[in-house]
Structure formats: C-alpha cells, structure tokens
Amino acid sequence: MANWAEQLQGELAGRGLAVASIPGKGRGIVASRTFFPGEVIISQEPYVSTPNKILVGSSCDHCFASSNLRKCSVCRVTWYCSSNCQKVEWKLHQLECRAMAALTEDRKKMLTPTIRLMVRLVLKRKLQNEKVIPSSCIDNYYLVDALESHISEVDKDQLVLYAQMANLVDLILPSLEFDLEEIAHNFSKFACNAHTICDPELRPLGTGLYPVISIINHSCVPNAVLTFDGRTACVRALQPIGKDEEVSISYIETAAVTKKRQSDLKQYFFTCTCPRCVKGSEDDALLESYRCKNQACDGFLLPESGEKAYTCQKCSISRDEEEVKKTTREIVLLSDKASSLLSSGNTTEAGSIYKTIEQLEQKLYHAFSITLLHTRETLLKIYMELQDWQTALTYCRSTIPVYERVYPPFHPMIGLQFYTCGKLEWLLECTEDALKSLTRAADVLRITHGTKSQFMKELFGKLEEARAEVSFRLSSGRGHGEQFS
C-alpha cells in the first residue's frame, strides 16, 4: 500500500486527529479540534484478536460473546456463537483451521493466546497481500510493521523465548515461508502494543492488536479512556481535549504508588513523566502510609530521622517502629492463610480471616491506603460470592472514597463501583440510596462507555426502575427507608 502513512494521516484528519512526533515519546496522537467529555475520539476493530481461554470455549472467536457457543467441528479449537460470526471469520479461519486440525493434541495444548495471535497475524498478512480479504488505511500490515518493538532493549532470556515461539509458529504453519526474525520482533511488538480486551465491567476476555490505538501514549492522569464493546476498541475523552493537545490513555492500573506504576510500565520500555509521577512523594505518602495512633487524627506517619519511630505529620504523635512491624508480620501470616483457603474454595473461612486482616489494617494504615483498599476489594468479592449482600455493600461503600482519591472523576472503576453499590442497595430495598448510586454510576459510565451498548441500556433500565419506585413511594406518602410489607 503506497503512502500508507499519508493515507492514515488523511483518515485521522477526518476524525479531528493527527499522528505527531512527541518530544521524549516518539509517535503520538494529537487532537486537531476540541473533543468533549464522553465524545468518541477513535474506535477500531482489531487487526487480529484471540480469546484468553482457547480450548475451553469461553467466548466466540469473532465477537467475544459468551453464549450459544459451538466448537468448529474440524479443528476442534475455535468457537463461534453464530453462523454469521463463523462466515465473517471464514476466509481467515479456513487457513487457520487446516493448520490447527493437522496438529497433535499435545501441540494443540501449546496454542497459547499469544501464539494464536501470531498465527492469525501471519495469515491475515498473507490474505491481504493476495487481496483475498480487503485492507484499508487503518487496517493493514504496514501499521503493524511501524509499531515499536524495543527489541534492542529486550533481555537475552526473553529473546531466546521469542525465537522459540517463532519456531513454534513455523511448526504450525509449515507450508508458509516467513522470516523467523521478523516473527520474533512481532512477538516483542505484542508485548508492548497489544491490548487486553475487557467486557464492560473490565473483566479480561482476550487480546487484540489495534495498530492505530497503539500510537496513543500513556499517562497516569490520562485525558481519555479505552473501553471495549465486544472486540471493538473505543477511546473516549474523559475531559475537554483542546486543539493540538496530545491524547493519552492509561496502559496500567493507576490505583498504585509511583514506584509500583513505574515498575508496571517497565514492559513498555519508558519512564512516565506525567504530572502525577513527577509529583510522586506527596501523592504516595497517603496511599502507602501508616495512620496516626490518635484515632481522631486523620494525619499520616512519616519515618522519624535517626529514631526507631514514625511521627504524624499533623499532630506529631509518634508510633513505635517495632509495634508497626509486629502488626505487619501478623497481617502477612494471616494473608497467606486466607489466600490459601480462598484458593482451595473455603470461601466462608477465608472471609472471616480477611475480616480480621481488614480490622488490623484499619488500625495500622491510613484510610486511603492501597493495601487496605485491596483487602476491602477482596472482601467485597467474597461476600458477593456468598450472597451476603449487606456485608458486601458495607465493603463496596468503603472503597469508593479511595477510588475517588486515586482515579480521575470520570473513571470507569468509579462508575462500576457505584453501579455495584446501586445493585446491592436495590436488592436490600434501600431504594433512595440505590437511586443515588445508580445516578452516580450513569453519570460516569455514560462518559466512559457511551450510551448505546446493551450494558448501558441495562444500567439505564435499572435507573428508571429506581426512579419510578422512589416517585411511587413519595406519592404514596412512604418515608425514607420504608419498605413494602
């Protein structure tokens, strides 16, 4: 495809975007007009994609739906939810199917999602070159070729692994000739450019390569968010984005201290210099600090220079270092036991121990502690599974102030947590609380998820139901907290 870069620029210009060289970052995408919160900046189908769980059939290979699945009768690897999805994929799957059907059962077990993604990449490139399937200015191999592999920065052990994976692809596709070194480079590109495809509640479904969206750079305080509808990736503005402003998304979980975020970003081979990372210590102090010994004080403790103690930055009360270490050791021992119980399916017992851990952490850590937050998130999952809605609601509510501290105002995690709160409050017939929570959820998620998906339609339906119930109660003279007999 001649002048593919110019064609891409032309396509993006029609969407109010441009590829630009960003100092210290390489390529990036900038706005050539203003985008408003909730507005779609760009959406893209994957160049190639694959579900996470291949052999067990957890989702359709084309649309990622999870119902009405049927296994391909020839290769016994691929699953589709409908004949339409199978037809759309057929030209690509026909070649893939033939190759996978020839594999022994042991070889099929080696078809990891990453290997499968590469097999599909090789086959799609072949079919586009032969013009069997169409290409476009935002769907072609040239865009994949232009992605950064960082191969010169990859360590020796990883290079050996990429070479072995390339040889495996060669074994799966013996009739095709391709450059094994290029395949190894492409595995490196997957590592720093592929995206995890998630459902609307941010649960991982699979992996996809989106070559245009991959040009968008990272920030720990992004102005846009990436979500998925099926396997369609959609980037929406979280805040007003002005003309000539760079569009940014987050590559990682940002509810973490700077050191953890920088560690998580190492796989992408850059050091983040966003405002949050530059500010660093001020933000981190709350998220990882111990709380003041005075329960009435909301200050946090700082190590006292030359002393075996921590001192509150607000009221100057000290806390003995040995006391802190003793509680920390107790928490570690309990956490190991609780985690083991949870893994073995002893959910009730694990929940009891996690409750004890949460009580200890409450006395030790600041209210905005990430450690305490993760314990409460675990407790929420446990009591949701046990269908103890009241306890689950208590822990769900306790996480929201921390979410609002660590995430931007319009972040999907905040919206989803309010949605969970609202559903629990509805189950418990706390109708007015449910209305407030569902309203907050809708306010956030309409920005991050749009308004047209089935997920959002269900949220709006629950919200209207709650509004109608509250309105009925008010009109019939029922006060706050009253329930039907």
mmCIF file of all heavy atoms in Angstrom, residues 386-430:
data_model
loop_
_atom_site.group_PDB
_atom_site.id
_atom_site.type_symbol
_atom_site.label_atom_id
_atom_site.label_comp_id
_atom_site.label_asym_id
_atom_site.label_seq_id
_atom_site.Cartn_x
_atom_site.Cartn_y
_atom_site.Cartn_z
ATOM 1 N N LEU A 386 -20.714 -15.165 48.326
ATOM 2 C CA LEU A 386 -21.512 -15.800 49.383
ATOM 3 C C LEU A 386 -22.948 -15.283 49.430
ATOM 4 O O LEU A 386 -23.770 -15.761 50.221
ATOM 5 C CB LEU A 386 -20.844 -15.581 50.749
ATOM 6 C CG LEU A 386 -19.483 -16.264 50.962
ATOM 7 C CD1 LEU A 386 -18.853 -15.797 52.264
ATOM 8 C CD2 LEU A 386 -19.636 -17.785 50.945
ATOM 9 N N GLN A 387 -23.241 -14.278 48.595
ATOM 10 C CA GLN A 387 -24.564 -13.647 48.523
ATOM 11 C C GLN A 387 -24.989 -13.037 49.857
ATOM 12 O O GLN A 387 -26.174 -12.995 50.181
ATOM 13 C CB GLN A 387 -25.615 -14.643 48.004
ATOM 14 C CG GLN A 387 -25.328 -15.113 46.587
ATOM 15 C CD GLN A 387 -26.438 -15.970 46.011
ATOM 16 O OE1 GLN A 387 -27.501 -16.126 46.599
ATOM 17 N NE2 GLN A 387 -26.203 -16.520 44.833
ATOM 18 N N ASP A 388 -23.998 -12.563 50.596
ATOM 19 C CA ASP A 388 -24.265 -11.807 51.815
ATOM 20 C C ASP A 388 -24.258 -10.336 51.400
ATOM 21 O O ASP A 388 -23.256 -9.637 51.484
ATOM 22 C CB ASP A 388 -23.170 -12.092 52.856
ATOM 23 C CG ASP A 388 -23.394 -11.335 54.176
ATOM 24 O OD1 ASP A 388 -24.202 -10.393 54.197
ATOM 25 O OD2 ASP A 388 -22.736 -11.688 55.172
ATOM 26 N N TRP A 389 -25.422 -9.883 50.921
ATOM 27 C CA TRP A 389 -25.500 -8.577 50.258
ATOM 28 C C TRP A 389 -25.203 -7.417 51.202
ATOM 29 O O TRP A 389 -24.569 -6.441 50.809
ATOM 30 C CB TRP A 389 -26.872 -8.391 49.614
ATOM 31 C CG TRP A 389 -27.318 -9.503 48.722
ATOM 32 C CD1 TRP A 389 -28.517 -10.137 48.747
ATOM 33 C CD2 TRP A 389 -26.585 -10.119 47.655
ATOM 34 N NE1 TRP A 389 -28.590 -11.116 47.784
ATOM 35 C CE2 TRP A 389 -27.422 -11.122 47.086
ATOM 36 C CE3 TRP A 389 -25.310 -9.944 47.122
ATOM 37 C CZ2 TRP A 389 -27.013 -11.926 46.023
ATOM 38 C CZ3 TRP A 389 -24.897 -10.753 46.059
ATOM 39 C CH2 TRP A 389 -25.745 -11.719 45.524
ATOM 40 N N GLN A 390 -25.626 -7.523 52.452
ATOM 41 C CA GLN A 390 -25.419 -6.416 53.389
ATOM 42 C C GLN A 390 -23.929 -6.219 53.696
ATOM 43 O O GLN A 390 -23.428 -5.093 53.687
ATOM 44 C CB GLN A 390 -26.181 -6.677 54.696
ATOM 45 C CG GLN A 390 -26.151 -5.493 55.667
ATOM 46 C CD GLN A 390 -26.809 -4.235 55.109
ATOM 47 O OE1 GLN A 390 -28.010 -4.233 54.817
ATOM 48 N NE2 GLN A 390 -26.038 -3.161 54.936
ATOM 49 N N THR A 391 -23.230 -7.310 53.940
ATOM 50 C CA THR A 391 -21.786 -7.214 54.205
ATOM 51 C C THR A 391 -21.048 -6.737 52.953
ATOM 52 O O THR A 391 -20.137 -5.900 53.034
ATOM 53 C CB THR A 391 -21.228 -8.575 54.666
ATOM 54 O OG1 THR A 391 -21.976 -9.026 55.800
ATOM 55 C CG2 THR A 391 -19.765 -8.465 55.050
ATOM 56 N N ALA A 392 -21.454 -7.267 51.801
ATOM 57 C CA ALA A 392 -20.835 -6.847 50.543
ATOM 58 C C ALA A 392 -21.004 -5.343 50.335
ATOM 59 O O ALA A 392 -20.068 -4.648 49.932
ATOM 60 C CB ALA A 392 -21.445 -7.619 49.373
ATOM 61 N N LEU A 393 -22.198 -4.837 50.628
ATOM 62 C CA LEU A 393 -22.468 -3.408 50.463
ATOM 63 C C LEU A 393 -21.576 -2.563 51.379
ATOM 64 O O LEU A 393 -21.059 -1.526 50.966
ATOM 65 C CB LEU A 393 -23.946 -3.115 50.753
ATOM 66 C CG LEU A 393 -24.373 -1.647 50.699
ATOM 67 C CD1 LEU A 393 -24.092 -1.043 49.324
ATOM 68 C CD2 LEU A 393 -25.856 -1.512 51.048
ATOM 69 N N THR A 394 -21.384 -3.027 52.600
ATOM 70 C CA THR A 394 -20.521 -2.300 53.548
ATOM 71 C C THR A 394 -19.122 -2.121 52.969
ATOM 72 O O THR A 394 -18.550 -1.023 53.007
ATOM 73 C CB THR A 394 -20.433 -3.058 54.889
ATOM 74 O OG1 THR A 394 -21.745 -3.159 55.450
ATOM 75 C CG2 THR A 394 -19.519 -2.333 55.871
ATOM 76 N N TYR A 395 -18.568 -3.202 52.412
ATOM 77 C CA TYR A 395 -17.218 -3.114 51.855
ATOM 78 C C TYR A 395 -17.195 -2.339 50.539
ATOM 79 O O TYR A 395 -16.240 -1.613 50.262
ATOM 80 C CB TYR A 395 -16.626 -4.515 51.689
ATOM 81 C CG TYR A 395 -16.308 -5.149 53.025
ATOM 82 C CD1 TYR A 395 -16.957 -6.313 53.451
ATOM 83 C CD2 TYR A 395 -15.385 -4.562 53.882
ATOM 84 C CE1 TYR A 395 -16.688 -6.869 54.690
ATOM 85 C CE2 TYR A 395 -15.105 -5.115 55.128
ATOM 86 C CZ TYR A 395 -15.757 -6.262 55.528
ATOM 87 O OH TYR A 395 -15.489 -6.800 56.762
ATOM 88 N N CYS A 396 -18.246 -2.464 49.755
ATOM 89 C CA CYS A 396 -18.322 -1.707 48.499
ATOM 90 C C CYS A 396 -18.299 -0.206 48.782
ATOM 91 O O CYS A 396 -17.549 0.548 48.156
ATOM 92 C CB CYS A 396 -19.592 -2.093 47.739
ATOM 93 S SG CYS A 396 -19.656 -1.414 46.056
ATOM 94 N N ARG A 397 -19.122 0.219 49.744
ATOM 95 C CA ARG A 397 -19.170 1.649 50.097
ATOM 96 C C ARG A 397 -17.821 2.144 50.626
ATOM 97 O O ARG A 397 -17.426 3.283 50.376
ATOM 98 C CB ARG A 397 -20.254 1.880 51.144
ATOM 99 C CG ARG A 397 -21.667 1.853 50.585
ATOM 100 C CD ARG A 397 -22.694 1.918 51.712
ATOM 101 N NE ARG A 397 -24.057 2.102 51.207
ATOM 102 C CZ ARG A 397 -25.141 1.980 51.951
ATOM 103 N NH1 ARG A 397 -25.035 1.665 53.234
ATOM 104 N NH2 ARG A 397 -26.347 2.166 51.430
ATOM 105 N N SER A 398 -17.106 1.267 51.352
ATOM 106 C CA SER A 398 -15.833 1.690 51.958
ATOM 107 C C SER A 398 -14.738 1.931 50.911
ATOM 108 O O SER A 398 -13.766 2.625 51.189
ATOM 109 C CB SER A 398 -15.360 0.656 52.980
ATOM 110 O OG SER A 398 -14.906 -0.532 52.340
ATOM 111 N N THR A 399 -14.888 1.343 49.723
ATOM 112 C CA THR A 399 -13.854 1.511 48.685
ATOM 113 C C THR A 399 -14.004 2.811 47.899
ATOM 114 O O THR A 399 -13.023 3.330 47.363
ATOM 115 C CB THR A 399 -13.886 0.344 47.672
ATOM 116 O OG1 THR A 399 -15.158 0.349 46.991
ATOM 117 C CG2 THR A 399 -13.670 -0.995 48.342
ATOM 118 N N ILE A 400 -15.213 3.344 47.839
ATOM 119 C CA ILE A 400 -15.479 4.474 46.945
ATOM 120 C C ILE A 400 -14.668 5.729 47.274
ATOM 121 O O ILE A 400 -14.112 6.358 46.362
ATOM 122 C CB ILE A 400 -17.000 4.755 46.865
ATOM 123 C CG1 ILE A 400 -17.661 3.639 46.049
ATOM 124 C CG2 ILE A 400 -17.280 6.120 46.239
ATOM 125 C CD1 ILE A 400 -19.153 3.721 45.927
ATOM 126 N N PRO A 401 -14.524 6.145 48.559
ATOM 127 C CA PRO A 401 -13.706 7.337 48.835
ATOM 128 C C PRO A 401 -12.259 7.203 48.336
ATOM 129 O O PRO A 401 -11.663 8.183 47.886
ATOM 130 C CB PRO A 401 -13.760 7.454 50.362
ATOM 131 C CG PRO A 401 -15.020 6.771 50.758
ATOM 132 C CD PRO A 401 -15.162 5.641 49.794
ATOM 133 N N VAL A 402 -11.714 5.983 48.395
ATOM 134 C CA VAL A 402 -10.339 5.767 47.921
ATOM 135 C C VAL A 402 -10.312 5.829 46.398
ATOM 136 O O VAL A 402 -9.405 6.413 45.805
ATOM 137 C CB VAL A 402 -9.768 4.426 48.426
ATOM 138 C CG1 VAL A 402 -8.269 4.356 48.152
ATOM 139 C CG2 VAL A 402 -10.038 4.246 49.909
ATOM 140 N N TYR A 403 -11.296 5.221 45.740
ATOM 141 C CA TYR A 403 -11.386 5.290 44.280
ATOM 142 C C TYR A 403 -11.434 6.743 43.820
ATOM 143 O O TYR A 403 -10.776 7.129 42.857
ATOM 144 C CB TYR A 403 -12.650 4.564 43.791
ATOM 145 C CG TYR A 403 -12.520 3.059 43.669
ATOM 146 C CD1 TYR A 403 -11.643 2.344 44.481
ATOM 147 C CD2 TYR A 403 -13.274 2.353 42.762
ATOM 148 C CE1 TYR A 403 -11.534 0.970 44.378
ATOM 149 C CE2 TYR A 403 -13.176 0.967 42.642
ATOM 150 C CZ TYR A 403 -12.301 0.286 43.456
ATOM 151 O OH TYR A 403 -12.189 -1.073 43.349
ATOM 152 N N GLU A 404 -12.227 7.538 44.538
ATOM 153 C CA GLU A 404 -12.367 8.945 44.154
ATOM 154 C C GLU A 404 -11.077 9.727 44.403
ATOM 155 O O GLU A 404 -10.864 10.781 43.800
ATOM 156 C CB GLU A 404 -13.536 9.575 44.909
ATOM 157 C CG GLU A 404 -14.884 9.008 44.460
ATOM 158 C CD GLU A 404 -16.064 9.601 45.203
ATOM 159 O OE1 GLU A 404 -16.000 9.745 46.437
ATOM 160 O OE2 GLU A 404 -17.084 9.907 44.541
ATOM 161 N N ARG A 405 -10.239 9.192 45.271
ATOM 162 C CA ARG A 405 -8.950 9.835 45.539
ATOM 163 C C ARG A 405 -7.908 9.479 44.472
ATOM 164 O O ARG A 405 -7.128 10.318 44.037
ATOM 165 C CB ARG A 405 -8.440 9.392 46.921
ATOM 166 C CG ARG A 405 -7.039 9.873 47.274
ATOM 167 C CD ARG A 405 -7.064 11.212 47.941
ATOM 168 N NE ARG A 405 -5.725 11.787 48.039
ATOM 169 C CZ ARG A 405 -5.438 12.863 48.732
ATOM 170 N NH1 ARG A 405 -6.385 13.481 49.402
ATOM 171 N NH2 ARG A 405 -4.219 13.346 48.758
ATOM 172 N N VAL A 406 -7.887 8.196 44.036
ATOM 173 C CA VAL A 406 -6.810 7.724 43.165
ATOM 174 C C VAL A 406 -7.141 7.770 41.675
ATOM 175 O O VAL A 406 -6.235 7.703 40.842
ATOM 176 C CB VAL A 406 -6.364 6.289 43.539
ATOM 177 C CG1 VAL A 406 -5.795 6.252 44.933
ATOM 178 C CG2 VAL A 406 -7.509 5.284 43.397
ATOM 179 N N TYR A 407 -8.411 7.885 41.325
ATOM 180 C CA TYR A 407 -8.797 7.918 39.914
ATOM 181 C C TYR A 407 -9.310 9.310 39.527
ATOM 182 O O TYR A 407 -9.801 10.049 40.377
ATOM 183 C CB TYR A 407 -9.907 6.907 39.625
ATOM 184 C CG TYR A 407 -9.500 5.459 39.765
ATOM 185 C CD1 TYR A 407 -10.154 4.618 40.665
ATOM 186 C CD2 TYR A 407 -8.482 4.912 38.987
ATOM 187 C CE1 TYR A 407 -9.803 3.278 40.797
ATOM 188 C CE2 TYR A 407 -8.124 3.578 39.103
ATOM 189 C CZ TYR A 407 -8.782 2.768 40.011
ATOM 190 O OH TYR A 407 -8.434 1.444 40.132
ATOM 191 N N PRO A 408 -9.234 9.645 38.225
ATOM 192 C CA PRO A 408 -9.869 10.888 37.753
ATOM 193 C C PRO A 408 -11.377 10.817 37.997
ATOM 194 O O PRO A 408 -11.934 9.717 38.136
ATOM 195 C CB PRO A 408 -9.552 10.903 36.246
ATOM 196 C CG PRO A 408 -8.445 9.925 36.053
ATOM 197 C CD PRO A 408 -8.589 8.907 37.129
ATOM 198 N N PRO A 409 -12.070 11.976 38.032
ATOM 199 C CA PRO A 409 -13.512 11.985 38.344
ATOM 200 C C PRO A 409 -14.348 11.082 37.445
ATOM 201 O O PRO A 409 -15.282 10.431 37.921
ATOM 202 C CB PRO A 409 -13.904 13.461 38.158
ATOM 203 C CG PRO A 409 -12.633 14.215 38.365
ATOM 204 C CD PRO A 409 -11.536 13.344 37.862
ATOM 205 N N PHE A 410 -13.998 11.035 36.156
ATOM 206 C CA PHE A 410 -14.742 10.173 35.236
ATOM 207 C C PHE A 410 -13.855 8.990 34.854
ATOM 208 O O PHE A 410 -13.220 8.976 33.796
ATOM 209 C CB PHE A 410 -15.190 10.944 33.991
ATOM 210 C CG PHE A 410 -16.218 12.000 34.293
ATOM 211 C CD1 PHE A 410 -15.852 13.327 34.388
ATOM 212 C CD2 PHE A 410 -17.533 11.662 34.515
ATOM 213 C CE1 PHE A 410 -16.790 14.310 34.681
ATOM 214 C CE2 PHE A 410 -18.492 12.633 34.815
ATOM 215 C CZ PHE A 410 -18.118 13.955 34.901
ATOM 216 N N HIS A 411 -13.794 8.027 35.752
ATOM 217 C CA HIS A 411 -13.024 6.816 35.502
ATOM 218 C C HIS A 411 -13.964 5.624 35.610
ATOM 219 O O HIS A 411 -14.816 5.581 36.501
ATOM 220 C CB HIS A 411 -11.894 6.684 36.533
ATOM 221 C CG HIS A 411 -10.906 5.596 36.201
ATOM 222 N ND1 HIS A 411 -11.184 4.258 36.397
ATOM 223 C CD2 HIS A 411 -9.654 5.654 35.672
ATOM 224 C CE1 HIS A 411 -10.141 3.530 36.013
ATOM 225 N NE2 HIS A 411 -9.207 4.352 35.573
ATOM 226 N N PRO A 412 -13.841 4.636 34.700
ATOM 227 C CA PRO A 412 -14.789 3.517 34.731
ATOM 228 C C PRO A 412 -14.848 2.786 36.067
ATOM 229 O O PRO A 412 -15.907 2.301 36.465
ATOM 230 C CB PRO A 412 -14.292 2.586 33.609
ATOM 231 C CG PRO A 412 -12.952 3.089 33.207
ATOM 232 C CD PRO A 412 -12.908 4.533 33.566
ATOM 233 N N MET A 413 -13.718 2.699 36.790
ATOM 234 C CA MET A 413 -13.723 1.994 38.071
ATOM 235 C C MET A 413 -14.659 2.671 39.081
ATOM 236 O O MET A 413 -15.336 1.988 39.860
ATOM 237 C CB MET A 413 -12.307 1.914 38.642
ATOM 238 C CG MET A 413 -11.412 0.920 37.913
ATOM 239 S SD MET A 413 -11.980 -0.789 38.059
ATOM 240 C CE MET A 413 -11.591 -1.137 39.769
ATOM 241 N N ILE A 414 -14.698 4.009 39.058
ATOM 242 C CA ILE A 414 -15.612 4.728 39.962
ATOM 243 C C ILE A 414 -17.061 4.448 39.574
ATOM 244 O O ILE A 414 -17.906 4.125 40.412
ATOM 245 C CB ILE A 414 -15.319 6.247 39.941
ATOM 246 C CG1 ILE A 414 -13.934 6.532 40.518
ATOM 247 C CG2 ILE A 414 -16.389 7.017 40.721
ATOM 248 C CD1 ILE A 414 -13.505 7.988 40.435
ATOM 249 N N GLY A 415 -17.342 4.550 38.284
ATOM 250 C CA GLY A 415 -18.701 4.288 37.808
ATOM 251 C C GLY A 415 -19.155 2.876 38.104
ATOM 252 O O GLY A 415 -20.288 2.647 38.554
ATOM 253 N N LEU A 416 -18.280 1.894 37.877
ATOM 254 C CA LEU A 416 -18.637 0.496 38.113
ATOM 255 C C LEU A 416 -18.857 0.206 39.595
ATOM 256 O O LEU A 416 -19.720 -0.598 39.954
ATOM 257 C CB LEU A 416 -17.547 -0.421 37.546
ATOM 258 C CG LEU A 416 -17.456 -0.450 36.019
ATOM 259 C CD1 LEU A 416 -16.194 -1.170 35.570
ATOM 260 C CD2 LEU A 416 -18.695 -1.098 35.400
ATOM 261 N N GLN A 417 -18.081 0.872 40.457
ATOM 262 C CA GLN A 417 -18.255 0.643 41.891
ATOM 263 C C GLN A 417 -19.579 1.232 42.382
ATOM 264 O O GLN A 417 -20.274 0.625 43.206
ATOM 265 C CB GLN A 417 -17.064 1.221 42.659
ATOM 266 C CG GLN A 417 -16.774 0.513 43.973
ATOM 267 C CD GLN A 417 -16.201 -0.896 43.798
ATOM 268 O OE1 GLN A 417 -16.302 -1.510 42.738
ATOM 269 N NE2 GLN A 417 -15.615 -1.426 44.852
ATOM 270 N N PHE A 418 -19.941 2.408 41.852
ATOM 271 C CA PHE A 418 -21.257 2.965 42.185
ATOM 272 C C PHE A 418 -22.376 2.067 41.654
ATOM 273 O O PHE A 418 -23.431 1.917 42.299
ATOM 274 C CB PHE A 418 -21.405 4.383 41.620
ATOM 275 C CG PHE A 418 -20.912 5.468 42.547
ATOM 276 C CD1 PHE A 418 -19.818 6.255 42.205
ATOM 277 C CD2 PHE A 418 -21.539 5.701 43.762
ATOM 278 C CE1 PHE A 418 -19.362 7.246 43.072
ATOM 279 C CE2 PHE A 418 -21.100 6.692 44.633
ATOM 280 C CZ PHE A 418 -19.999 7.472 44.283
ATOM 281 N N TYR A 419 -22.151 1.458 40.486
ATOM 282 C CA TYR A 419 -23.148 0.562 39.902
ATOM 283 C C TYR A 419 -23.343 -0.662 40.813
ATOM 284 O O TYR A 419 -24.475 -1.081 41.094
ATOM 285 C CB TYR A 419 -22.682 0.125 38.514
ATOM 286 C CG TYR A 419 -23.740 -0.553 37.656
ATOM 287 C CD1 TYR A 419 -25.084 -0.601 38.035
ATOM 288 C CD2 TYR A 419 -23.396 -1.142 36.435
ATOM 289 C CE1 TYR A 419 -26.045 -1.213 37.231
ATOM 290 C CE2 TYR A 419 -24.340 -1.751 35.628
ATOM 291 C CZ TYR A 419 -25.657 -1.793 36.036
ATOM 292 O OH TYR A 419 -26.600 -2.402 35.238
ATOM 293 N N THR A 420 -22.223 -1.227 41.301
ATOM 294 C CA THR A 420 -22.309 -2.361 42.227
ATOM 295 C C THR A 420 -23.056 -1.968 43.491
ATOM 296 O O THR A 420 -23.928 -2.702 43.977
ATOM 297 C CB THR A 420 -20.895 -2.875 42.580
ATOM 298 O OG1 THR A 420 -20.232 -3.275 41.382
ATOM 299 C CG2 THR A 420 -20.962 -4.054 43.543
ATOM 300 N N CYS A 421 -22.715 -0.784 44.026
ATOM 301 C CA CYS A 421 -23.415 -0.268 45.214
ATOM 302 C C CYS A 421 -24.913 -0.169 44.963
ATOM 303 O O CYS A 421 -25.734 -0.604 45.786
ATOM 304 C CB CYS A 421 -22.882 1.133 45.562
ATOM 305 S SG CYS A 421 -21.770 1.149 46.962
ATOM 306 N N GLY A 422 -25.263 0.410 43.834
ATOM 307 C CA GLY A 422 -26.669 0.602 43.491
ATOM 308 C C GLY A 422 -27.429 -0.706 43.376
ATOM 309 O O GLY A 422 -28.571 -0.826 43.865
ATOM 310 N N LYS A 423 -26.807 -1.710 42.773
ATOM 311 C CA LYS A 423 -27.476 -3.008 42.628
ATOM 312 C C LYS A 423 -27.667 -3.681 43.991
ATOM 313 O O LYS A 423 -28.702 -4.296 44.250
ATOM 314 C CB LYS A 423 -26.667 -3.908 41.677
ATOM 315 C CG LYS A 423 -26.767 -3.480 40.216
ATOM 316 C CD LYS A 423 -26.122 -4.468 39.274
ATOM 317 C CE LYS A 423 -24.621 -4.361 39.260
ATOM 318 N NZ LYS A 423 -24.006 -5.173 38.177
ATOM 319 N N LEU A 424 -26.652 -3.559 44.855
ATOM 320 C CA LEU A 424 -26.770 -4.136 46.200
ATOM 321 C C LEU A 424 -27.842 -3.410 47.022
ATOM 322 O O LEU A 424 -28.647 -4.044 47.722
ATOM 323 C CB LEU A 424 -25.417 -4.058 46.920
ATOM 324 C CG LEU A 424 -24.335 -5.015 46.408
ATOM 325 C CD1 LEU A 424 -22.973 -4.648 46.973
ATOM 326 C CD2 LEU A 424 -24.678 -6.471 46.760
ATOM 327 N N GLU A 425 -27.855 -2.083 46.934
ATOM 328 C CA GLU A 425 -28.865 -1.297 47.657
ATOM 329 C C GLU A 425 -30.268 -1.614 47.166
ATOM 330 O O GLU A 425 -31.223 -1.669 47.960
ATOM 331 C CB GLU A 425 -28.546 0.202 47.510
ATOM 332 C CG GLU A 425 -27.339 0.621 48.342
ATOM 333 C CD GLU A 425 -26.662 1.884 47.846
ATOM 334 O OE1 GLU A 425 -26.943 2.336 46.708
ATOM 335 O OE2 GLU A 425 -25.813 2.420 48.580
ATOM 336 N N TRP A 426 -30.408 -1.869 45.874
ATOM 337 C CA TRP A 426 -31.709 -2.233 45.310
ATOM 338 C C TRP A 426 -32.159 -3.590 45.853
ATOM 339 O O TRP A 426 -33.318 -3.768 46.247
ATOM 340 C CB TRP A 426 -31.617 -2.267 43.786
ATOM 341 C CG TRP A 426 -32.909 -2.625 43.112
ATOM 342 C CD1 TRP A 426 -33.263 -3.822 42.577
ATOM 343 C CD2 TRP A 426 -34.045 -1.767 42.919
ATOM 344 N NE1 TRP A 426 -34.530 -3.766 42.055
ATOM 345 C CE2 TRP A 426 -35.041 -2.517 42.252
ATOM 346 C CE3 TRP A 426 -34.312 -0.432 43.243
ATOM 347 C CZ2 TRP A 426 -36.265 -1.976 41.897
ATOM 348 C CZ3 TRP A 426 -35.548 0.100 42.892
ATOM 349 C CH2 TRP A 426 -36.498 -0.664 42.226
ATOM 350 N N LEU A 427 -31.228 -4.553 45.893
ATOM 351 C CA LEU A 427 -31.543 -5.877 46.435
ATOM 352 C C LEU A 427 -31.989 -5.798 47.890
ATOM 353 O O LEU A 427 -32.864 -6.538 48.330
ATOM 354 C CB LEU A 427 -30.306 -6.785 46.348
ATOM 355 C CG LEU A 427 -30.057 -7.503 45.022
ATOM 356 C CD1 LEU A 427 -28.673 -8.137 45.033
ATOM 357 C CD2 LEU A 427 -31.125 -8.566 44.784
ATOM 358 N N LEU A 428 -31.370 -4.868 48.630
ATOM 359 C CA LEU A 428 -31.664 -4.705 50.052
ATOM 360 C C LEU A 428 -32.815 -3.720 50.311
ATOM 361 O O LEU A 428 -33.084 -3.353 51.451
ATOM 362 C CB LEU A 428 -30.401 -4.240 50.792
ATOM 363 C CG LEU A 428 -29.265 -5.271 50.816
ATOM 364 C CD1 LEU A 428 -27.946 -4.620 51.199
ATOM 365 C CD2 LEU A 428 -29.605 -6.409 51.768
ATOM 366 N N GLU A 429 -33.465 -3.281 49.220
ATOM 367 C CA GLU A 429 -34.616 -2.379 49.271
ATOM 368 C C GLU A 429 -34.287 -1.024 49.899
ATOM 369 O O GLU A 429 -35.144 -0.369 50.484
ATOM 370 C CB GLU A 429 -35.799 -3.050 49.996
ATOM 371 C CG GLU A 429 -36.293 -4.296 49.275
ATOM 372 C CD GLU A 429 -37.574 -4.874 49.889
ATOM 373 O OE1 GLU A 429 -38.400 -4.076 50.388
ATOM 374 O OE2 GLU A 429 -37.735 -6.090 49.858
ATOM 375 N N CYS A 430 -33.022 -0.613 49.765
ATOM 376 C CA CYS A 430 -32.630 0.757 50.138
ATOM 377 C C CYS A 430 -32.796 1.608 48.878
ATOM 378 O O CYS A 430 -31.826 1.988 48.214
ATOM 379 C CB CYS A 430 -31.184 0.790 50.630
ATOM 380 S SG CYS A 430 -30.844 -0.315 51.998
#
